[in-house]
Amino acid sequence: MSIILEVQNLQIQRGGVQVLELPRFSINAEEKVAIVGPNGAGKSSMLLGLACLIERASGSIFFQGAAVLQTTEIAYRRRIAVVFQEPLLFDTTVIDNVAEGLRIRGKGHKEARAAARDSLELFKIAHLSERSAHKLSGGEAQRVSLARAFAVRPELLLMDEPFSSLDLPTRIALAEDLGRILHESGTAAIIATHDRIEAFHIVDRLVVMDCGKIVQEGTPKEVMAQPVNDFVAAFRRTTGSN
């Protein structure tokens, strides 16, 4: 299977402090990867760096084999989608929120709304299409955020703790639906999370981070069964308890 995204020697600093050091990381087309670790492990910095939403101190990013340069970052970002912990919805209807990314990409009104409806159907919220986005529950709002991301048919989806503010039943239900949609669509995805409950429903590969570095990766079963050090073993025991 071909590599869709690869980074080499990626370093990110915040306030003069290095918060991420990735000698190498890649994800294949259609692969689903979870980045797990405690708060401060570098998960969010990694996703923001991969999305070119924060400046990297050094390193290279390649998408579909081509280097992502400062002059090509906008074109690159239009081929991916990012979902944050907070939905960040506009004060308009649900369907207008979902159609926004398509309009930014130059789609006409009818085409954008038709694609938005299809995406709402995927996430079982088509009945909310004309509701104000600011009158939704937390779970509904995050489904809208995910539907907006999928509406643009991204080649790569990046998600930063998308379920952490939701109660456990809502989190599990949404993780199950997202896993199904990702596998049916063949979309490559990276999800940063502190909770393995989400990861086990979605991913093919688990990447454990600590202090801005990858300390272990493998299938979820491999990482859980064979931790490489005491940190991974301790994290394995506590992950998913929230």
Side-chain angles (χ1 to χ4, degrees), residues 95-141:
I95 194 167
D96 283 340
N97 267 277
V98 176
E100 183 61 27
L102 293 155
R103 287 195 287 266
I104 290 173
R105 288 162 172 79
K107 302 296 183 182
H109 179 74
K110 284 187 176 181
E111 185 180 1
R113 285 179 69 88
R117 287 192 191 94
D118 290 342
S119 198
L120 289 171
E121 290 280 0
L122 275 180
F123 285 92
K124 304 175 182 177
I125 49 172
H127 61 288
L128 301 176
S129 62
E130 299 303 327
R131 184 179 296 184
S132 167
H134 285 186
K135 295 182 179 180
L136 302 173
S137 69
E140 290 169 342

